């Protein structure tokens, strides 16, 4: 479930930089675990000094780290029912195969997305996309797979949609034709690439509307986004866990398709005729 409550609102609204920002992001992403860690243990997890963790607690308005941890534990107790605790303990059982642990983690990600998704923000994004004169979907490294997916999901609904999946200068070639009615959808999940952050910032500076699809409020692209849509991506290994991200992108494309249904039906009918002429499908 998405962390809510005073402690998380403080983390999201407090301007943080550097190592304290890293600690804050870890707390948002691993708040159940963080609620049971000492300041020294949390510092070790994030690879910062213990004083950095303590200073973060002061910056957030707490009397010290123990009070911050107490607030986290209260949120965990409020959010985790007995059934959820049982499911988590079962899923983390050491006798399960890595494959099953991975699938269970993806189920957790999807469940968290369902309970945390901001439908109003999603609909605002869909409206932006429907009325855009140009959409650039941006995603590098493993996130390039997600960019390609969203591009293909949107291209039947919106005329001028392109995907940029490599940092080779193509983004700038597309950006030069973008304006205030255009939208750049930047997709980035850990590890965030420097190139996607740079390109996303460049779009914002040029006055193009920006939508960040990422995993956390503290993602490095957040400050350059007009809109943010979040999908959890907790994984059990180095392999990226994208089930929730794909689900979120599918939800965006579905909203867009419904909003542009009249034009879309006519276009799909013409496309079906062309496919039949070329024997594209069995």
């Amino acid at each position: 479930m998405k962390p809510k409550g005073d402690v998380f609102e403080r983390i999201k609204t407090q301007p943080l930089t550097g190592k304290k920002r890293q600690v804050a992001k870890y707390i948002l992403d691993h708040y159940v675990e963080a609620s049971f860690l000492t300041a020294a243990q949390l510092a070790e997890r994030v690879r910062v000094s213990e004083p950095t963790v303590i200073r973060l607690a002061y910056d957030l308005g707490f009397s010290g780290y123990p009070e911050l941890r107490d607030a986290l534990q209260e949120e965990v107790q409020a959010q985790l029912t007995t059934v959820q605790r049982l499911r988590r303990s079962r899923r983390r059982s050491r006798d399960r195969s890595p494959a099953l642990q991975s699938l269970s983690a993806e189920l957790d990600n999807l469940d968290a997305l369902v309970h945390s998704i901001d439908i109003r923000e999603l609909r605002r994004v869909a409206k932006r996309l429907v009325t855009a004169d140009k959409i650039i979907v941006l995603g590098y490294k493993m996130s390039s797979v997600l960019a390609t997916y969203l591009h293909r999901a949107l291209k039947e609904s919106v005329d001028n949609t392109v995907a940029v999946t490599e940092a080779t200068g193509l983004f700038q070639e597309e950006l030069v034709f973008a304006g205030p009615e255009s939208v750049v959808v930047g997709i980035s999940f850990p590890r965030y690439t420097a190139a996607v952050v740079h390109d996303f910032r460049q779009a914002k500076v040029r006055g193009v509307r920006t939508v960040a699809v990422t995993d956390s409020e503290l993602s490095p692209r957040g400050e350059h986004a007009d809109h943010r849509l979040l999908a959890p991506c907790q994984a059990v290994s180095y392999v990226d866990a994208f089930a929730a991200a794909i689900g979120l992108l599918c939800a965006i494309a579905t909203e867009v398709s419904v909003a542009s249904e009249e034009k879309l039906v006519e276009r799909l009918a013409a496309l079906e005729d062309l496919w039949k002429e070329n024997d594209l499908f069995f």
Side-chain angles (χ1 to χ4, degrees), residues 29-46:
D29 293 344
H30 308 277
Y31 63 98
V32 176
E33 177 187 0
S35 68
F36 297 99
L37 297 177
T38 65
Q41 290 170 331
L42 180 56
E44 183 180 1
R45 294 284 199 286
V46 190

Side-chain angles (χ1 to χ4, degrees), residues 143 146 187-193 213-215 221 231-233 242 245:
S143 292
L146 301 175
I187 304 174
S188 183
F189 289 83
R191 301 173 59 185
Y192 313 108
T193 60
V213 178
T214 187
D215 68 309
R221 290 175 309 114
C233 62
F242 281 163

Side-chain angles (χ1 to χ4, degrees), residues 189-210:
F189 289 83
R191 301 173 59 185
Y192 313 108
T193 60
V196 78
V197 175
H198 171 271
D199 290 351
F200 198 69
R201 181 190 303 118
Q202 194 170 52
K204 179 67 174 177
V205 169
R206 288 182 62 87
V208 178
R209 296 288 182 178
T210 52

Side-chain angles (χ1 to χ4, degrees), residues 2 21 40 55 64 75 82 100 102 110 119 126 139 144 147 157 183-184 213 217 224 234 238-239 244-245 258 266 279:
K2 182 180 180 181
R21 185 182 180 90
R55 285 195 295 269
E75 282 296 324
T82 303
L100 288 177
S102 175
L110 285 165
I119 292 296
S144 67
S157 300
V183 178
V184 170
V213 178
E217 293 277 1
H224 308 297
Q234 296 301 310
Y238 73 92
V239 180
V258 171
E266 182 179 344
D279 295 323

Side-chain angles (χ1 to χ4, degrees), residues 137-141 143-145 147 164-166 185-188 196:
V137 186
L138 178 67
Y140 299 148
K141 302 295 284 185
S143 292
S144 67
V145 177
V164 179
T165 57
E166 293 183 2
V185 182
I187 304 174
S188 183
V196 78

